[in-house]
Amino acid sequence: MTVEQQFSTVRTDISGHLIQDLVMKFGTPTYVYDAQTVRDRIEQLRQFDVIRYAQKANSNIGVLDLVRKNGVVVDAVSSGEVFRAVSAGFDYDGEPDPIVYTADIFDREALDLVVEKGIHVNVGSPDMIEQYGQRVPGGEITLRINPGFGHGHSAKTNTGGESSKHGIWHEQLEDCLALAAKFDVSVTGLHMHIGSGTDFEHLSQVCDAMLQTALRVGDTIKMISAGGGLPTPYRDSDVGLDVDRYYQLWNRTRKQLEAGFGHAVSLEIEPGRFLVAESGFLLTEIRAIKKMGRNLFYLVDAGFNNLARPILYGAYHPMSIAFKGEPTHETQDVIVGGPLCESGDIFTQQEGGFVCSRELPVATVGDYLVIECAGAYGYVMSSNYNSKPFSAEVLIDGDKTHLIRKRQSPADLIRGEVIPD
Ligand SMILES: *Cc1c(COP(=O)(O)O)cnc(C)c1O
């Protein structure tokens, strides 16, 4: 089978901005995001009544500002994410709710904030209903339901079924409704974040579970949310999502509910990865090339402190070389690693930590290596391990480049630390 090549292993620019120029201006390692790609993905989802960005995928306030200006609202999973949203210009109040707090617990700070600011809550445990009800009797909530089945193989990414910690177990629905009623709290929304990917048979099971659950709750329901989990391509063989078909399935469920309840039901989608993954590039410089027996390593100046998906999930990212000097036309199999004193600091690895190689152009020290499709769950999972500073982040918008986060300085690394006297 031949697949169309969507990822090239040679790159000169990002949206017309030469890699060389970006590196001169911002250094490496640096995350670069292309605003137009984010806008394009938003447009693809316009059929949904509400696009709620799961900001945990990339919560830089420059990115939040971009999505806000394009009519997108946000999800927040912590009080810190609420603070980010407000800093990026989102209001507490509005229709639809500009910020929704979604979690399986309230830490004390989040509960205080939600109560004080009147933030709508998507509740993921019976204890949250109790804690919310005591503080906001007569309020309105959304329930996140675990329908009893999930999708995906990894315990780290599966969001439904018995081994998932997320949401309210479907068989506890009636208990939760009774608990809410005790505080005069009404359930106005239902949410399922299962992540069917491109498996439409599975998706229709999720839609069916949503329909049945909503009918059990009754006509207080004004909103259903399809959650996130929309896939994006990371390899040439990955097929893009048929957004229209995805929408049609959910829209049918919504229409059935509207017919049953006799009032409008709003349909939300809650993508993280889908909006930002393809917009992002991690620019690195190759600092050493060395042989280890039969293996050849390209060692770059970014590590899993900058991008953790490969070591966490064995995630695959496309990579390309931007030549500083003379371009070559030959390729070779290489292992790509970072600078950390940790043998797992390898970008070319599979789940389970198995190191693998990648066919990339023959490069020399000083050339740039670009890790692509890195806009989601990239920067946000950064750490200061090995006392490496957080990278810079840059937003490209047309012919402009904006530094949306400065690289950390050495002083930033020890900020807040104290030597006892
Ligand atoms: C993480 C998350 C999302 C987004 O998931 P993606 O796979 O990035 O689309 C949406 N909703 C909730 C509640 C989440 O926790």
Side-chain angles (χ1 to χ4, degrees):
M1 195 179 78
T2 55
V3 284
E4 201 186 328
Q5 199 183 343
Q6 40 185 338
F7 300 111
S8 164
T9 55
V10 179
R11 171 177 286 280
T12 53
D13 68 286
I14 297 170
S15 300
H17 296 264
L18 293 175
I19 304 286
Q20 284 257 28
D21 294 348
L22 290 168
V23 170
M24 289 305 148
K25 205 162 164 192
F26 303 107
T28 54
T30 292
Y31 273 96
V32 175
Y33 313 116
D34 179 32
Q36 192 51 45
T37 306
V38 177
R39 282 193 285 259
D40 290 346
R41 291 295 160 273
I42 293 170
E43 285 318 309
Q44 273 188 281
L45 299 177
R46 279 288 184 222
Q47 281 176 287
F48 290 86
D49 298 320
V50 175
I51 305 170
R52 185 172 299 286
Y53 174 47
Q55 65 167 293
K56 73 176 194 279
N58 184 333
S59 54
N60 184 295
I61 58 173
V63 174
L64 296 183
D65 172 70
L66 171 68
V67 303
R68 184 181 57 78
K69 285 178 174 148
N70 286 274
V72 171
V73 291
V74 284
D75 183 56
V77 298
S78 65
S79 50
E81 285 194 352
V82 172
F83 177 72
R84 286 183 173 281
V86 172
S87 305
F90 287 94
D91 294 324
Y92 288 112
D93 295 317
E95 185 58 41
D97 294 296
I99 305 169
V100 166
Y101 177 80
T102 299
D104 298 301
I105 67 155
F106 281 121
D107 54 49
R108 291 179 185 281
E109 211 176 335
L111 182 57
D112 287 343
L113 188 64
V114 155
V115 171
E116 186 189 328
K117 304 296 184 188
I119 296 168
H120 187 78
V121 178
N122 179 5
V123 160
S125 61
D127 292 301
M128 286 180 77
I129 301 176
E130 178 104 34
Q131 291 156 1
Y132 179 85
Q134 281 167 358
R135 301 278 296 272
V136 193
E140 298 187 344
I141 55 173
T142 292
L143 298 186
R144 175 176 183 173
I145 301 296
N146 177 342
F149 57 89
H151 199 262
H153 310 287
S154 164
K156 293 177 188 163
T157 54
N158 201 338
T159 53
E162 273 183 351
S163 355
S164 166
K165 67 166 184 164
H166 295 301
I168 285 169
W169 187 245
H170 60 115
E171 289 169 336
Q172 282 196 323
L173 178 64
E174 278 71 21
D175 291 347
C176 288
L177 293 176
L179 187 57
K182 199 173 119 189
F183 300 104
D184 197 24
V185 165
S186 41
V187 175
T188 55
L190 278 183
H191 173 276
M192 283 183 193
H193 171 64
I194 300 300
S196 303
T198 50
D199 183 347
F200 284 97
E201 202 160 310
H202 187 269
L203 184 66
S204 59
Q205 264 179 286
V206 177
C207 290
D208 195 52
M210 175 65 89
L211 178 67
Q212 299 311 327
T213 310
L215 292 173
R216 277 158 68 195
V217 175
D219 66 5
T220 53
I221 296 291
K222 297 187 281 198
M223 183 283 292
I224 57 170
S225 170
L230 284 71
T232 64
Y234 286 94
R235 300 170 188 261
D236 285 331
S237 55
D238 288 347
V239 286
L241 177 67
D242 183 345
V243 172
D244 201 51
R245 201 167 157 203
Y246 204 95
Y247 172 77
Q248 291 309 335
L249 276 173
W250 277 109
N251 189 38
R252 193 182 60 184
T253 305
R254 175 258 293 278
K255 291 261 189 268
Q256 286 167 320
L257 288 173
E258 288 184 333
F261 296 150
H263 63 235
V265 174
S266 167
L267 176 58
E268 292 199 3
I269 187 90
E270 198 177 63
R273 179 187 319 284
F274 186 82
L275 293 193
V276 290
E278 291 161 279
S279 77
F281 302 82
L282 176 55
L283 305 191
T284 77
E285 184 184 353
I286 299 176
R287 298 296 304 154
I289 297 178
K290 62 178 180 179
K291 250 186 139 48
M292 293 284 173
R294 281 163 302 163
N295 289 327
L296 186 67
F297 285 75
Y298 286 178
L299 297 183
V300 301
D301 59 2
F304 73 69
N305 57 306
N306 302 110
L307 177 66
R309 296 188 71 249
I311 193 171
L312 272 181
Y313 316 114
Y316 179 99
H317 283 269
M319 292 177 195
S320 55
I321 299 293
F323 294 103
K324 185 171 185 181
E326 275 303 294
T328 61
H329 300 286
E330 297 93 69
T331 60
Q332 57 192 355
D333 287 333
V334 296
I335 296 168
V336 178
L340 303 181
C341 292
E342 180 95 24
S343 44
D345 188 25
I346 296 290
F347 288 116
T348 47
Q349 62 178 295
Q350 290 165 345
E351 201 169 356
F354 298 103
V355 172
C356 46
S357 63
R358 184 77 64 91
E359 187 181 343
L360 286 176
V362 173
T364 46
V365 170
D367 286 336
Y368 306 113
L369 187 138
V370 183
I371 305 181
E372 311 201 351
C373 298
Y377 307 106
Y379 184 94
V380 289
M381 288 189 172
S382 298
S383 77
N384 283 138
Y385 189 45
N386 278 209
S387 289
K388 292 282 186 181
F390 289 154
S391 70
E393 290 179 286
V394 171
L395 184 69
I396 290 180
D397 200 351
D399 56 10
K400 294 210 180 68
T401 56
H402 307 278
L403 181 64
I404 55 172
R405 183 195 307 256
K406 278 194 222 164
R407 183 180 313 285
Q408 274 187 324
S409 66
D412 291 331
L413 286 175
I414 56 167
R415 193 173 310 285
E417 294 181 27
V418 176
I419 298 173
D421 47 30

